[in-house]
Amino acid sequence: MSGVATASIGWIDSVIALIAIDGFAVMTQAVIGVSLRTRLIPDRMLGRVTAVFRTLSTGASALGAFAGGSLAQAMGLSWPFFIGGAVAILLGPALFRWLSNSRVAAALPAGNPVSEEAA
C-alpha cells in the first residue's frame, strides 16, 4: 500500500490523500515491527538491537534523501516518487516471504508460542 501511494504521488497533483495513506501504512508497519522486535529479542539485548536499528534506518534515510535529491535534480521532481514506490512494490513480496508466520514462530523463544490467530 505504501509503495503504490508513493509511486502515485509522482502522477497526481493533489497528494494529500496519498500522503495520508502512505503515512498510515508506514505507521502500521512501525507498530508491527516494534512489536515483533520486542517479542523476538531477549530483554537484555533489546536496547542494543533497537539502537542498531535506529542507526541503520537513520543512515538509510540520509542516503535515500541524497539519492532522491540527486535524482530529482537530474530527471525531475516526480522520478524519486516513481522509483521509490517501485522499489517498495518490488521488495514487498520478497520481504513478506522472508518474514512469514512460520519463520517468526521458529524464531520465538521456547514457551512463547504464536497464537492461532497470528499464525
Side-chain angles (χ1 to χ4, degrees), residues 24-87:
F24 180 78
V26 169
M27 175 194 65
T28 303
Q29 174 270 330
V31 169
I32 292 169
V34 169
S35 299
L36 184 61
R37 187 170 56 238
T38 302
R39 190 161 182 200
L40 292 176
I41 305 299
D43 289 341
R44 68 183 188 283
M45 294 180 61
L46 188 57
R48 287 174 272 188
V49 170
T50 300
V52 168
F53 175 81
R54 287 183 178 172
T55 300
L56 293 175
S57 63
T58 302
S61 295
L63 291 175
F66 177 75
S70 299
L71 189 63
Q73 186 176 18
M75 299 182 71
L77 205 49
S78 296
W79 281 97
F81 296 105
F82 295 149
I83 292 176
V87 167

